Amino acid sequence: MDDREFRNAMGKFATGVTVITTEVDGEPHGMTANAFMSVSLHPKLIMISIDNRANMLDKIKEANKFAVNILADHQKDLSMHFAGQTKDEREIDFQYIENIPVLDGTLASIACDVDNSYVVGDHTLFVGKVLDIKQTDGNPLTFFTGKYGHNQVLTTT
């Protein structure tokens, strides 16, 4: 199979959309990502996957901390901004949890210290030890087959 076929097949798995944030030398940085998962309840651990060519990789390594911001369905513009898909300059108002920058208005922001990292193929997996969480109610921004969407709750009959 070629790379496009593999990528298309992986795109059939609907995901939420996150922005990974960290801070280096007093400057916040962010990157849109959908490769995120919960790992453990005891201890509380999560994992993110960062492309080894991404600028964010060295920033997380240097900071040794990061946050995962789970976007709400009205935050597509933030996803596009942190994915570099918009040309307009935008001032982002970061909040802080445990001295880690997070985005305001997300469904959840999860602040972590890096617990461990693993280079696997062309990505690095960062396991984060959860320090604190901020969450609100709302509906998630989703991503499926390369397109943004929103969650539609199915009713049972």
Side-chain angles (χ1 to χ4, degrees), residues 6-66:
F6 180 77
R7 191 175 183 104
N8 289 347
M10 296 303 102
K12 300 288 185 182
F13 184 69
T15 66
V17 181
T18 73
V19 172
I20 310 301
T21 51
T22 195
E23 185 175 270
V24 175
D25 297 328
E27 185 178 343
H29 301 275
M31 179 190 95
T32 300
N34 64 350
F36 153 73
M37 65 181 268
S38 171
V39 173
S40 170
L41 185 58
H42 300 287
K44 290 169 182 56
L45 301 172
I46 63 171
M47 186 167 33
I48 59 173
S49 178
I50 306 292
D51 189 307
N52 290 333
R53 297 168 298 169
N55 292 331
M56 186 59 103
L57 181 74
D58 289 333
K59 294 181 185 344
I60 293 173
K61 285 181 179 179
E62 185 174 342
N64 208 38
K65 60 185 178 179
F66 64 89

Side-chain angles (χ1 to χ4, degrees), residues 17-148:
V17 181
T18 73
V19 172
I20 310 301
T21 51
T22 195
E23 185 175 270
V24 175
D25 297 328
E27 185 178 343
H29 301 275
M31 179 190 95
T32 300
N34 64 350
F36 153 73
M37 65 181 268
S38 171
V39 173
S40 170
L41 185 58
H42 300 287
K44 290 169 182 56
L45 301 172
I46 63 171
M47 186 167 33
I48 59 173
S49 178
I50 306 292
D51 189 307
N52 290 333
R53 297 168 298 169
N55 292 331
M56 186 59 103
L57 181 74
D58 289 333
K59 294 181 185 344
I60 293 173
K61 285 181 179 179
E62 185 174 342
N64 208 38
K65 60 185 178 179
F66 64 89
V68 175
N69 301 271
I70 302 172
L71 300 187
D73 60 1
H74 65 291
Q75 295 179 306
K76 176 182 170 186
D77 59 327
L78 282 174
S79 173
M80 294 179 71
H81 172 79
F82 286 105
Q85 296 174 336
T86 58
K87 302 288 185 222
D88 59 329
E89 287 298 318
R90 179 178 180 167
E91 185 72 25
I92 303 296
D93 184 28
F94 289 96
Q95 308 296 312
Y96 284 82
I97 301 174
E98 297 287 329
N99 296 316
I100 302 169
V102 297
L103 299 171
D104 194 31
T106 61
L107 295 180
S109 292
I110 308 158
C112 301
D113 280 335
V114 172
D115 184 70
N116 218 325
S117 64
Y118 306 91
V119 177
V120 181
D122 57 6
H123 280 63
T124 297
L125 306 177
F126 288 97
V127 176
K129 182 177 181 188
V130 177
L131 302 172
D132 201 0
I133 292 175
K134 174 184 160 190
Q135 59 183 324
T136 59
D137 290 331
N139 294 310
L141 181 63
T142 62
F143 202 69
F144 176 72
T145 63
K147 298 176 187 74
Y148 289 100

